[in-house]
């Protein structure tokens, strides 16, 4: 993946296929691997060239926490490893169900608590990138300036290197950029969920990484049929084609597919080498 890289903020270069750690904990629901498998997945990811991990201190359930797994598996960290975490609306768990003005994770105290929890659990003195995650309630244009100003203060203290935003609208991204240097946007986006097409292009033009969550799945029947056809032609899996489509969609798209399976991890990373032809892209509706 040497030619498949992106730089967060101009100084943190990552391969465009990374790994999202949420599924290692089964958070907020679902099955999770045993600890030995989880640690093996993290170590294997790094062996295969992954140098971008997505995590958060609120990825934790029943005593199993993503940050602690990362620390156990990989600390002391490789020099080129970039760990991106997040704070905000979900930091308080059920906080997400509150009206935006009442979400404690978005207060100065909640944001500081979230940053300090990530620092402590990862065993680092500075977080590479912190995403401010806004709430899910209607995916509205809730003001984010005050929260970003708090994170900028924490950055001035040396606790954060770069800032990003997550679960935001194009309007919120514009407002965030008026307040702070934003290096990444993390939103729902995949081949079948393309409401963010204009935002992907806006970010590309501005040199901002776009990091899609839920990069595979939720496909409509026709989309699934086209994915299956292209996958068969290339000798690949449907998820691999969906990931390759994202990489082909725009050079600023950086992937963080999650999995609790070693085999699926290797398939996801291999998608970074999958070359889609113009005919493939046309069939997929690029």
């Amino acid at each position: 993946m040497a030619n498949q890289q992106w730089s967060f903020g101009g100084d943190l270069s990552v391969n465009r296929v990374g790994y999202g750690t949420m599924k290692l904990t089964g958070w907020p629901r679902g099955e999770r691997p045993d600890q030995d498998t989880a640690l093996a997945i993290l170590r294997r990811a790094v062996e295969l060239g992954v140098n971008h991990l997505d995590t958060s201190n609120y990825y934790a359930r029943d005593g199993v926490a993503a940050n602690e797994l990362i620390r156990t598996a990989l600390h002391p960290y490789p020099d080129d490893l970039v760990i991106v975490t997040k704070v905000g609306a979900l930091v308080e768990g059920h906080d997400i169900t509150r009206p935006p003005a009442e979400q404690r994770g978005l207060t100065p105290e909640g944001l500081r608590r979230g940053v300090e929890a990530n620092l402590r659990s990862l065993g680092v003195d500075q977080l590479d990138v912190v995403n401010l995650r806004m709430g899910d309630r209607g995916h509205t244009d809730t003001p984010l300036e005050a929260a970003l100003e708090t994170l900028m203060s924490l950055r001035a203290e040396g606790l954060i290197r770069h800032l990003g935003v997550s679960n935001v609208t194009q309007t919120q991204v514009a407002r965030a950029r008026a307040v702070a240097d934003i290096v990444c946007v993390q939103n729902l986006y995949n081949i079948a969920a393309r409401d963010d097409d204009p935002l992907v292009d806006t970010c590309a033009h501005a040199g901002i990484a776009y990091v899609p969550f839920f990069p595979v799945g939720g496909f409509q029947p026709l989309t699934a049929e086209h994915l299956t056809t292209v996958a068969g032609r290339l000798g690949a899996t449907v998820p691999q084609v969906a990931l390759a489509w994202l990489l082909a969609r725009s050079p600023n798209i950086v992937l963080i597919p999650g999995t609790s399976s070693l085999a699926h991890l290797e398939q996801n990373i291999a998608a970074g080498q999958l070359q889609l032809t113009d005919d493939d892209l046309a069939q997929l509706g690029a």
Side-chain angles (χ1 to χ4, degrees):
M1 292 185 289
N3 62 343
Q4 291 275 354
Q5 293 192 327
W6 182 265
S7 179
F8 289 116
D11 61 351
L12 295 177
S13 294
V14 297
N15 293 321
R16 289 180 65 203
V17 181
Y19 177 68
T21 64
M22 187 174 72
K23 288 190 175 181
L24 295 181
T25 69
W27 184 90
R29 64 190 65 85
E31 297 182 2
R32 62 170 173 255
D34 60 50
Q35 178 167 306
D36 288 344
T37 300
L39 298 177
I41 287 171
L42 288 164
R43 290 167 179 149
R44 182 60 174 153
V46 171
E47 288 175 359
L48 292 174
V50 167
N51 59 356
H52 169 207
L53 299 178
D54 179 79
T55 188
S56 176
N57 68 293
Y58 56 67
Y59 291 170
R61 199 186 82 188
D62 300 331
V64 178
N67 285 359
E68 293 174 5
L69 290 170
I70 292 170
R71 185 174 182 174
T72 300
L74 301 173
H75 196 279
Y77 301 119
D79 290 341
D80 67 338
L81 182 65
V82 175
I83 302 177
V84 178
T85 188
K86 60 183 66 65
V87 296
L90 287 181
V91 129
E92 300 292 336
H94 296 297
D95 198 39
I96 195 66
T97 65
R98 300 172 182 268
E102 298 177 16
Q103 288 174 358
R104 290 172 293 169
L106 290 170
T107 66
E109 296 79 10
L111 292 166
R112 176 176 285 276
R113 187 163 56 249
V115 167
E116 291 177 348
N118 278 293
L119 288 165
R120 185 169 55 251
S121 54
L122 287 169
V124 296
D125 296 323
Q126 184 183 67
L127 299 171
D128 293 325
V129 183
V130 172
N131 282 319
L132 171 64
R133 192 190 195 283
M134 301 303 291
D136 288 321
R137 294 174 64 85
H139 198 56
T140 64
D141 289 326
T142 303
L144 42 57
E145 288 87 347
L148 279 173
E149 288 171 359
T150 296
L151 293 179
M152 289 169 65
S153 295
L154 294 171
R155 185 177 63 184
E157 292 180 30
L159 304 182
I160 300 171
R161 190 164 181 172
H162 293 299
L163 296 175
V165 288
S166 177
N167 210 51
V168 287
T169 64
Q170 183 144 351
T171 297
Q172 286 175 314
V173 172
R175 290 166 62 174
R177 293 181 62 203
V179 174
D181 293 328
I182 300 300
V183 304
C184 57
V185 172
Q186 189 179 115
N187 272 6
L188 168 64
Y189 184 77
N190 61 46
I191 192 172
R194 298 187 55 177
D195 289 347
D196 259 9
D197 268 338
L199 182 53
V200 171
D201 296 334
T202 296
C203 289
H205 182 72
I208 296 171
Y210 185 97
V211 186
F213 59 75
F214 200 41
V216 298
F219 304 135
Q220 301 300 314
L222 184 58
T223 303
E225 179 183 341
H226 291 325
L227 284 166
T228 300
T229 298
V230 172
R233 189 158 61 230
L234 297 176
T237 67
V238 165
Q240 283 179 317
V241 174
L243 293 173
W245 179 88
L246 284 166
L247 292 173
R249 167 63 180 83
S250 185
N252 68 318
I253 288 183
V254 179
L255 302 182
I256 50 168
T259 181
S260 57
S261 160
L262 273 168
H264 289 161
L265 170 75
E266 297 188 0
Q267 290 172 5
N268 290 342
I269 295 172
Q273 303 298 328
L274 193 62
Q275 298 295 316
L276 301 181
T277 67
D278 290 342
D279 288 343
D280 295 333
L281 293 171
Q283 184 162 12
L284 294 171

